């Protein structure tokens, strides 16, 4: 029985004991969770949140009385409320969370089973490019060369650090791949039960503003909706499919935001003040939009900025950029596997 089928059976049983609306005075989630030793992650754009404690995780969204437990089963409790960015919950919500956090891990631990590194562009598609003159000589910098250099370094680091995981590089040479081919590679990865895959696309920016500079990390805009599960996973109940799909999709979005944050922190640590951090942003990039997994797109800098172009041609700088991305991915893996009770065999 697959994971989504188990969700369906558990959810069907829980519908028989749906809780009523708030029966007690609501409390601020942030302060109450802090008192209980729970970590709270909240994204105002996607309006989704996570509670974490004792190696367990609860995904929730305001106005919805269905929560996702450890990304594998659904439960019903009082719906949280969003009051201008402040999340309020009932005491029952807190009690239900505490009860779940006290449960023992049942052996169905989650782990990152595969990491896909996708160097943007390649072959007949150079991506962004710019020609400069320096000391009487011209040089041209192409996005496809920069992304491949960083991708290969990142791939080698991940292969060495995680021999038990699938590390996949979509291209290791100056090869053209369509956007559809890239996402097909990602979506066709074979995983074991309770394994997840992470997708990181590497790119370089360009702008008509020659002063534009800095790196940024993008994730899929929460305003975009996609199908991420098979309709058969919801069984014969057609009303269940949109609920399961929305919960799974929002889990991907939340995890993508966490990956983006960890990578941004990693880049800041390695690159420092050489250039500026432009932050984490949301967009509906095709390569991210069509991957059914947590996914982010990293923009390493602006090759249309002369000083930044010099950095993007510098192997030492690219090594630091690759290390920053690697550290971010590594931090996310630690977070993901710890939050699902996974104990590494390494």
């Amino acid at each position: 029985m697959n994971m989504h089928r188990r969700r369906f059976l558990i959810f069907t049983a829980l519908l028989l004991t749906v809780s009523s609306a708030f029966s007690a005075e609501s409390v601020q989630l942030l302060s109450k969770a802090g008192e209980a030793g729970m970590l709270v992650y909240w994204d105002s754009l996607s309006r989704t949140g996570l509670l974490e404690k004792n190696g367990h995780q609860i995904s929730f969204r305001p106005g919805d009385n269905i929560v996702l437990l450890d990304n594998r089963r659904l439960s019903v409790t009082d719906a949280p409320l969003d009051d201008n960015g402040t999340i309020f919950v009932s005491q029952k919500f807190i009690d239900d969370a505490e009860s779940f956090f006290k449960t023992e891990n049942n052996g169905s631990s989650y782990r990152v089973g595969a990491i896909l590194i996708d160097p943007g562009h390649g072959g007949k598609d150079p991506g962004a490019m710019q020609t400069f003159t320096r000391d009487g000589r011209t040089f041209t910098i192409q996005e496809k060369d920069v992304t491949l250099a960083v991708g290969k370094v990142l791939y080698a680091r991940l292969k060495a650090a995680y021999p038990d995981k699938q590390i996949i590089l979509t291209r290791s040479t100056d090869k053209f791949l369509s956007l559809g081919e890239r996402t097909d590679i990602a979506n066709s990865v074979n995983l074991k039960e309770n394994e997840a895959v992470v997708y990181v696309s590497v790119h370089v920016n360009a702008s008509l503003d020659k002063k534009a500079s800095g790196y940024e990390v993008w994730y899929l805009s929460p305003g975009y909706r996609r199908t991420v599960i098979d309709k058969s996973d919801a069984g014969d109940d057609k009303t269940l499919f949109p609920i399961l799909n929305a919960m799974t999709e929002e889990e991907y979005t939340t995890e993508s935001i966490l990956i983006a944050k960890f990578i941004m922190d990693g880049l800041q640590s390695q690159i420092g003040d050489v250039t500026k951090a432009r932050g984490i942003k949301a967009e509906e990039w095709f390569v991210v939009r069509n991957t059914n997994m947590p996914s982010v797109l990293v923009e390493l800098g602006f090759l249309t900025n002369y000083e930044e172009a010099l950095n993007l041609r510098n192997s030492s700088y690219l090594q630091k950029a690759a290390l920053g991305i690697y550290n971010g991915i590594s931090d996310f893996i630690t977070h993901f596997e710890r939050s699902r009770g996974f104990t590494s065999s390494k």
Side-chain angles (χ1 to χ4, degrees):
M1 184 184 298
N2 65 33
M3 178 178 66
H4 295 301
R5 180 70 65 183
R6 287 200 302 274
R7 284 185 187 173
F8 167 69
L9 294 176
I10 294 169
F11 176 76
T12 302
L14 285 169
L15 284 178
L16 299 176
T17 57
V18 174
S19 63
S20 61
F22 281 15
S23 57
E25 185 177 352
S26 59
V27 295
Q28 286 193 29
L29 175 61
L30 192 60
S31 61
K32 198 67 176 179
E35 293 173 6
M38 305 176 192
L39 294 177
V40 181
Y41 300 89
W42 171 252
D43 176 60
S44 58
L45 289 177
S46 64
R47 297 186 71 252
T48 59
L50 294 175
L51 284 177
E52 184 180 302
K53 184 179 179 180
N54 297 338
H56 290 292
Q57 191 177 78
I58 299 174
S59 304
F60 65 89
R61 59 181 178 181
D64 196 335
N65 65 346
I66 300 172
V67 295
L68 187 60
L69 308 178
D70 283 345
N71 197 32
R72 60 176 175 265
R73 63 188 179 93
L74 300 172
S75 185
V76 177
T77 185
D78 289 343
L81 301 176
D82 182 0
D83 183 9
N84 294 320
T86 301
I87 307 303
F88 288 89
V89 297
S90 70
Q91 186 59 48
K92 173 177 169 50
F93 182 95
I94 295 295
D95 292 342
D96 288 347
E98 281 283 36
S99 177
F100 172 67
F101 288 142
K102 290 177 181 177
T103 61
E104 295 293 327
N105 290 316
N106 62 8
S108 298
S109 55
Y110 273 63
R111 66 190 298 269
V112 173
I115 306 163
L116 279 92
I117 305 302
D118 180 25
H121 306 280
K124 65 181 182 181
D125 173 20
M129 58 189 300
Q130 187 74 37
T131 298
F132 295 96
T133 300
R134 185 185 187 191
D135 299 329
R137 303 180 64 181
T138 61
F139 68 89
T140 299
I141 181 169
Q142 299 184 102
E143 181 176 5
K144 67 175 184 177
D145 298 328
V146 177
T147 61
L148 181 59
V150 171
K152 291 169 73 172
V153 172
L154 181 55
Y155 171 81
R157 284 188 174 275
L158 289 168
K159 284 286 285 185
Y162 298 103
D164 60 328
K165 303 183 189 301
Q166 299 180 65
I167 312 300
I168 301 168
L169 190 64
T170 57
R171 68 178 183 96
S172 59
T173 61
D174 185 17
K175 174 184 178 181
F176 172 77
L177 289 172
S178 69
L179 295 177
E181 287 175 318
R182 295 172 193 273
T183 55
D184 285 346
I185 292 171
N187 292 328
S188 64
V189 174
N190 291 319
L191 297 171
K192 298 177 182 177
E193 187 174 9
N194 297 334
E195 283 190 339
V197 57
V198 171
Y199 186 99
V200 179
S201 185
V202 182
H203 287 258
V204 177
N205 241 327
S207 175
L208 294 176
D209 179 3
K210 304 304 181 184
K211 295 182 179 180
S213 64
Y215 51 89
E216 54 200 23
V217 187
W218 295 79
Y219 67 94
L220 182 65
S221 167
Y224 181 83
R225 286 291 170 257
R226 55 185 170 167
T227 299
V228 294
I229 66 172
D230 192 286
K231 290 189 176 181
S232 63
D233 291 331
D236 297 327
D237 188 346
K238 294 182 179 180
T239 64
L240 183 58
F241 173 75
I243 297 174
L244 285 176
N245 188 74
M247 294 297 291
T248 304
E249 182 194 30
E250 287 168 6
E251 180 73 8
Y252 288 166
T253 299
T254 302
E255 288 168 353
S256 296
I257 293 168
L258 290 177
I259 298 170
K261 179 185 182 303
F262 286 131
I263 290 178
M264 178 59 64
D265 290 346
L267 288 170
Q268 285 182 280
S269 177
Q270 289 300 313
I271 295 176
D273 59 359
V274 173
T275 188
K276 64 182 179 182
R278 295 169 62 91
I280 300 170
K281 302 181 180 182
E283 185 54 88
E284 296 173 13
W285 299 111
F286 180 95
V287 74
V288 174
R289 185 178 73 224
N290 290 277
T291 52
N292 297 332
M293 63 199 66
S295 49
V296 296
L297 186 148
V298 183
E299 294 278 10
L300 294 170
F302 285 77
L303 55 70
T304 44
N305 179 304
Y306 176 73
E307 297 298 330
E308 198 130 287
L310 294 179
N311 287 332
L312 294 171
R313 294 179 74 234
N314 185 296
S315 61
S316 176
Y317 183 88
L318 296 184
Q319 288 273 349
K320 291 180 179 179
L323 180 56
I325 299 173
Y326 163 81
N327 286 339
I329 295 172
S330 180
D331 287 345
F332 173 77
I333 290 172
T334 299
H335 165 85
F336 182 91
E337 294 181 344
R338 185 190 73 242
S339 70
R340 286 153 176 78
F342 175 70
T343 302
S344 175
S345 61
K346 292 189 290 182

mmCIF file of all heavy atoms in Angstrom, residues 159-185:
data_model
loop_
_atom_site.group_PDB
_atom_site.id
_atom_site.type_symbol
_atom_site.label_atom_id
_atom_site.label_comp_id
_atom_site.label_asym_id
_atom_site.label_seq_id
_atom_site.Cartn_x
_atom_site.Cartn_y
_atom_site.Cartn_z
ATOM 1 N N LYS A 159 28.398 13.975 -3.868
ATOM 2 C CA LYS A 159 28.736 12.557 -4.052
ATOM 3 C C LYS A 159 29.655 12.070 -2.951
ATOM 4 O O LYS A 159 29.502 10.952 -2.443
ATOM 5 C CB LYS A 159 29.407 12.356 -5.410
ATOM 6 C CG LYS A 159 28.471 12.385 -6.594
ATOM 7 C CD LYS A 159 27.631 11.124 -6.707
ATOM 8 C CE LYS A 159 28.445 9.954 -7.221
ATOM 9 N NZ LYS A 159 27.597 8.756 -7.456
ATOM 10 N N ALA A 160 30.620 12.907 -2.570
ATOM 11 C CA ALA A 160 31.568 12.516 -1.530
ATOM 12 C C ALA A 160 30.908 12.476 -0.155
ATOM 13 O O ALA A 160 31.207 11.605 0.673
ATOM 14 C CB ALA A 160 32.747 13.488 -1.515
ATOM 15 N N ALA A 161 30.001 13.412 0.096
ATOM 16 C CA ALA A 161 29.386 13.527 1.424
ATOM 17 C C ALA A 161 28.237 12.547 1.632
ATOM 18 O O ALA A 161 27.977 12.124 2.769
ATOM 19 C CB ALA A 161 28.888 14.954 1.643
ATOM 20 N N TYR A 162 27.544 12.182 0.548
ATOM 21 C CA TYR A 162 26.341 11.351 0.688
ATOM 22 C C TYR A 162 26.396 10.145 -0.263
ATOM 23 O O TYR A 162 25.643 10.065 -1.235
ATOM 24 C CB TYR A 162 25.089 12.173 0.397
ATOM 25 C CG TYR A 162 24.895 13.325 1.344
ATOM 26 C CD1 TYR A 162 25.186 14.641 0.946
ATOM 27 C CD2 TYR A 162 24.425 13.122 2.641
ATOM 28 C CE1 TYR A 162 25.007 15.701 1.822
ATOM 29 C CE2 TYR A 162 24.252 14.184 3.521
ATOM 30 C CZ TYR A 162 24.551 15.473 3.107
ATOM 31 O OH TYR A 162 24.374 16.514 3.975
ATOM 32 N N PRO A 163 27.297 9.190 0.009
ATOM 33 C CA PRO A 163 27.397 8.020 -0.876
ATOM 34 C C PRO A 163 26.148 7.140 -0.851
ATOM 35 O O PRO A 163 25.957 6.311 -1.745
ATOM 36 C CB PRO A 163 28.609 7.267 -0.308
ATOM 37 C CG PRO A 163 28.701 7.712 1.120
ATOM 38 C CD PRO A 163 28.261 9.143 1.121
ATOM 39 N N ASP A 164 25.275 7.337 0.160
ATOM 40 C CA ASP A 164 24.065 6.530 0.270
ATOM 41 C C ASP A 164 22.879 7.150 -0.454
ATOM 42 O O ASP A 164 21.779 6.590 -0.434
ATOM 43 C CB ASP A 164 23.709 6.329 1.744
ATOM 44 C CG ASP A 164 23.454 7.636 2.482
ATOM 45 O OD1 ASP A 164 24.083 8.644 2.117
ATOM 46 O OD2 ASP A 164 22.638 7.647 3.415
ATOM 47 N N LYS A 165 23.068 8.298 -1.088
ATOM 48 C CA LYS A 165 21.989 8.975 -1.782
ATOM 49 C C LYS A 165 22.269 9.033 -3.285
ATOM 50 O O LYS A 165 23.420 8.994 -3.708
ATOM 51 C CB LYS A 165 21.799 10.399 -1.243
ATOM 52 C CG LYS A 165 21.520 10.467 0.261
ATOM 53 C CD LYS A 165 21.274 11.901 0.694
ATOM 54 C CE LYS A 165 21.203 12.020 2.208
ATOM 55 N NZ LYS A 165 20.138 11.199 2.819
ATOM 56 N N GLN A 166 21.215 9.158 -4.073
ATOM 57 C CA GLN A 166 21.373 9.375 -5.509
ATOM 58 C C GLN A 166 21.696 10.852 -5.740
ATOM 59 O O GLN A 166 20.890 11.714 -5.404
ATOM 60 C CB GLN A 166 20.092 9.029 -6.260
ATOM 61 C CG GLN A 166 19.616 7.608 -6.156
ATOM 62 C CD GLN A 166 18.335 7.398 -6.955
ATOM 63 O OE1 GLN A 166 18.303 7.504 -8.187
ATOM 64 N NE2 GLN A 166 17.257 7.100 -6.252
ATOM 65 N N ILE A 167 22.856 11.123 -6.301
ATOM 66 C CA ILE A 167 23.216 12.491 -6.667
ATOM 67 C C ILE A 167 23.203 12.545 -8.192
ATOM 68 O O ILE A 167 23.972 11.841 -8.847
ATOM 69 C CB ILE A 167 24.601 12.897 -6.125
ATOM 70 C CG1 ILE A 167 24.724 12.535 -4.634
ATOM 71 C CG2 ILE A 167 24.831 14.380 -6.366
ATOM 72 C CD1 ILE A 167 23.704 13.211 -3.739
ATOM 73 N N ILE A 168 22.336 13.354 -8.741
ATOM 74 C CA ILE A 168 22.117 13.368 -10.183
ATOM 75 C C ILE A 168 22.429 14.755 -10.739
ATOM 76 O O ILE A 168 21.925 15.765 -10.239
ATOM 77 C CB ILE A 168 20.664 12.990 -10.510
ATOM 78 C CG1 ILE A 168 20.350 11.594 -9.951
ATOM 79 C CG2 ILE A 168 20.409 13.035 -12.019
ATOM 80 C CD1 ILE A 168 18.876 11.249 -9.961
ATOM 81 N N LEU A 169 23.265 14.793 -11.762
ATOM 82 C CA LEU A 169 23.595 16.027 -12.468
ATOM 83 C C LEU A 169 22.928 15.950 -13.831
ATOM 84 O O LEU A 169 23.217 15.040 -14.618
ATOM 85 C CB LEU A 169 25.110 16.158 -12.607
ATOM 86 C CG LEU A 169 25.681 17.478 -13.115
ATOM 87 C CD1 LEU A 169 25.383 18.622 -12.143
ATOM 88 C CD2 LEU A 169 27.200 17.348 -13.331
ATOM 89 N N THR A 170 22.029 16.878 -14.126
ATOM 90 C CA THR A 170 21.258 16.761 -15.367
ATOM 91 C C THR A 170 22.146 16.862 -16.603
ATOM 92 O O THR A 170 21.836 16.262 -17.633
ATOM 93 C CB THR A 170 20.158 17.831 -15.448
ATOM 94 O OG1 THR A 170 20.743 19.133 -15.323
ATOM 95 C CG2 THR A 170 19.129 17.624 -14.352
ATOM 96 N N ARG A 171 23.224 17.619 -16.510
ATOM 97 C CA ARG A 171 24.195 17.650 -17.617
ATOM 98 C C ARG A 171 25.589 17.859 -17.048
ATOM 99 O O ARG A 171 25.792 18.682 -16.152
ATOM 100 C CB ARG A 171 23.855 18.740 -18.630
ATOM 101 C CG ARG A 171 24.017 20.171 -18.144
ATOM 102 C CD ARG A 171 23.699 21.172 -19.260
ATOM 103 N NE ARG A 171 23.918 22.553 -18.836
ATOM 104 C CZ ARG A 171 25.036 23.240 -19.076
ATOM 105 N NH1 ARG A 171 26.040 22.685 -19.724
ATOM 106 N NH2 ARG A 171 25.152 24.505 -18.666
ATOM 107 N N SER A 172 26.546 17.094 -17.551
ATOM 108 C CA SER A 172 27.941 17.206 -17.109
ATOM 109 C C SER A 172 28.833 17.752 -18.209
ATOM 110 O O SER A 172 30.045 17.888 -18.032
ATOM 111 C CB SER A 172 28.466 15.837 -16.655
ATOM 112 O OG SER A 172 28.379 14.889 -17.709
ATOM 113 N N THR A 173 28.241 18.055 -19.372
ATOM 114 C CA THR A 173 28.975 18.608 -20.512
ATOM 115 C C THR A 173 28.170 19.772 -21.086
ATOM 116 O O THR A 173 27.074 20.083 -20.609
ATOM 117 C CB THR A 173 29.189 17.551 -21.605
ATOM 118 O OG1 THR A 173 27.910 17.095 -22.075
ATOM 119 C CG2 THR A 173 29.984 16.357 -21.063
ATOM 120 N N ASP A 174 28.717 20.395 -22.116
ATOM 121 C CA ASP A 174 28.029 21.508 -22.785
ATOM 122 C C ASP A 174 26.940 20.933 -23.688
ATOM 123 O O ASP A 174 27.046 20.935 -24.918
ATOM 124 C CB ASP A 174 29.028 22.325 -23.594
ATOM 125 C CG ASP A 174 28.390 23.568 -24.206
ATOM 126 O OD1 ASP A 174 27.288 23.950 -23.749
ATOM 127 O OD2 ASP A 174 28.985 24.150 -25.129
ATOM 128 N N LYS A 175 25.880 20.442 -23.051
ATOM 129 C CA LYS A 175 24.806 19.735 -23.743
ATOM 130 C C LYS A 175 23.502 20.506 -23.608
ATOM 131 O O LYS A 175 23.196 21.055 -22.552
ATOM 132 C CB LYS A 175 24.655 18.330 -23.134
ATOM 133 C CG LYS A 175 23.486 17.523 -23.662
ATOM 134 C CD LYS A 175 23.387 16.198 -22.915
ATOM 135 C CE LYS A 175 22.185 15.375 -23.387
ATOM 136 N NZ LYS A 175 22.081 14.098 -22.641
ATOM 137 N N PHE A 176 22.724 20.532 -24.673
ATOM 138 C CA PHE A 176 21.429 21.193 -24.620
ATOM 139 C C PHE A 176 20.375 20.250 -24.067
ATOM 140 O O PHE A 176 20.257 19.099 -24.489
ATOM 141 C CB PHE A 176 20.995 21.669 -26.012
ATOM 142 C CG PHE A 176 19.584 22.188 -26.045
ATOM 143 C CD1 PHE A 176 19.282 23.453 -25.541
ATOM 144 C CD2 PHE A 176 18.553 21.399 -26.550
ATOM 145 C CE1 PHE A 176 17.972 23.927 -25.553
ATOM 146 C CE2 PHE A 176 17.243 21.873 -26.568
ATOM 147 C CZ PHE A 176 16.956 23.141 -26.068
ATOM 148 N N LEU A 177 19.607 20.728 -23.111
ATOM 149 C CA LEU A 177 18.459 20.009 -22.577
ATOM 150 C C LEU A 177 17.276 20.973 -22.555
ATOM 151 O O LEU A 177 17.410 22.099 -22.076
ATOM 152 C CB LEU A 177 18.717 19.506 -21.156
ATOM 153 C CG LEU A 177 19.709 18.356 -20.955
ATOM 154 C CD1 LEU A 177 19.956 18.156 -19.465
ATOM 155 C CD2 LEU A 177 19.188 17.084 -21.584
ATOM 156 N N SER A 178 16.146 20.532 -23.060
ATOM 157 C CA SER A 178 14.957 21.381 -22.975
ATOM 158 C C SER A 178 14.475 21.425 -21.528
ATOM 159 O O SER A 178 14.845 20.581 -20.704
ATOM 160 C CB SER A 178 13.852 20.838 -23.874
ATOM 161 O OG SER A 178 13.354 19.615 -23.352
ATOM 162 N N LEU A 179 13.643 22.409 -21.227
ATOM 163 C CA LEU A 179 13.101 22.502 -19.871
ATOM 164 C C LEU A 179 12.273 21.263 -19.539
ATOM 165 O O LEU A 179 12.300 20.772 -18.414
ATOM 166 C CB LEU A 179 12.252 23.765 -19.736
ATOM 167 C CG LEU A 179 12.999 25.091 -19.881
ATOM 168 C CD1 LEU A 179 12.025 26.265 -19.798
ATOM 169 C CD2 LEU A 179 14.075 25.230 -18.815
ATOM 170 N N GLY A 180 11.539 20.767 -20.527
ATOM 171 C CA GLY A 180 10.753 19.561 -20.301
ATOM 172 C C GLY A 180 11.627 18.359 -19.992
ATOM 173 O O GLY A 180 11.286 17.535 -19.136
ATOM 174 N N GLU A 181 12.762 18.237 -20.690
ATOM 175 C CA GLU A 181 13.675 17.120 -20.441
ATOM 176 C C GLU A 181 14.250 17.185 -19.032
ATOM 177 O O GLU A 181 14.422 16.165 -18.362
ATOM 178 C CB GLU A 181 14.809 17.122 -21.471
ATOM 179 C CG GLU A 181 14.372 16.688 -22.859
ATOM 180 C CD GLU A 181 15.481 16.826 -23.885
ATOM 181 O OE1 GLU A 181 16.203 17.849 -23.868
ATOM 182 O OE2 GLU A 181 15.636 15.907 -24.703
ATOM 183 N N ARG A 182 14.541 18.395 -18.574
ATOM 184 C CA ARG A 182 15.096 18.550 -17.221
ATOM 185 C C ARG A 182 14.089 18.092 -16.161
ATOM 186 O O ARG A 182 14.432 17.366 -15.224
ATOM 187 C CB ARG A 182 15.487 20.010 -16.994
ATOM 188 C CG ARG A 182 16.608 20.500 -17.883
ATOM 189 C CD ARG A 182 16.810 22.008 -17.750
ATOM 190 N NE ARG A 182 17.663 22.525 -18.794
ATOM 191 C CZ ARG A 182 18.997 22.578 -18.736
ATOM 192 N NH1 ARG A 182 19.610 22.152 -17.665
ATOM 193 N NH2 ARG A 182 19.701 23.062 -19.739
ATOM 194 N N THR A 183 12.843 18.535 -16.300
ATOM 195 C CA THR A 183 11.843 18.148 -15.308
ATOM 196 C C THR A 183 11.472 16.672 -15.430
ATOM 197 O O THR A 183 11.127 16.040 -14.437
ATOM 198 C CB THR A 183 10.586 19.023 -15.411
ATOM 199 O OG1 THR A 183 10.080 18.979 -16.750
ATOM 200 C CG2 THR A 183 10.906 20.457 -15.057
ATOM 201 N N ASP A 184 11.549 16.124 -16.642
ATOM 202 C CA ASP A 184 11.308 14.684 -16.809
ATOM 203 C C ASP A 184 12.353 13.876 -16.049
ATOM 204 O O ASP A 184 12.031 12.850 -15.439
ATOM 205 C CB ASP A 184 11.332 14.305 -18.289
ATOM 206 C CG ASP A 184 10.068 14.737 -19.032
ATOM 207 O OD1 ASP A 184 9.090 15.090 -18.346
ATOM 208 O OD2 ASP A 184 10.090 14.722 -20.275
ATOM 209 N N ILE A 185 13.607 14.325 -16.106
ATOM 210 C CA ILE A 185 14.670 13.645 -15.360
ATOM 211 C C ILE A 185 14.339 13.654 -13.867
ATOM 212 O O ILE A 185 14.453 12.639 -13.176
ATOM 213 C CB ILE A 185 16.035 14.323 -15.601
ATOM 214 C CG1 ILE A 185 16.489 14.102 -17.042
ATOM 215 C CG2 ILE A 185 17.095 13.794 -14.631
ATOM 216 C CD1 ILE A 185 17.721 14.908 -17.440
#
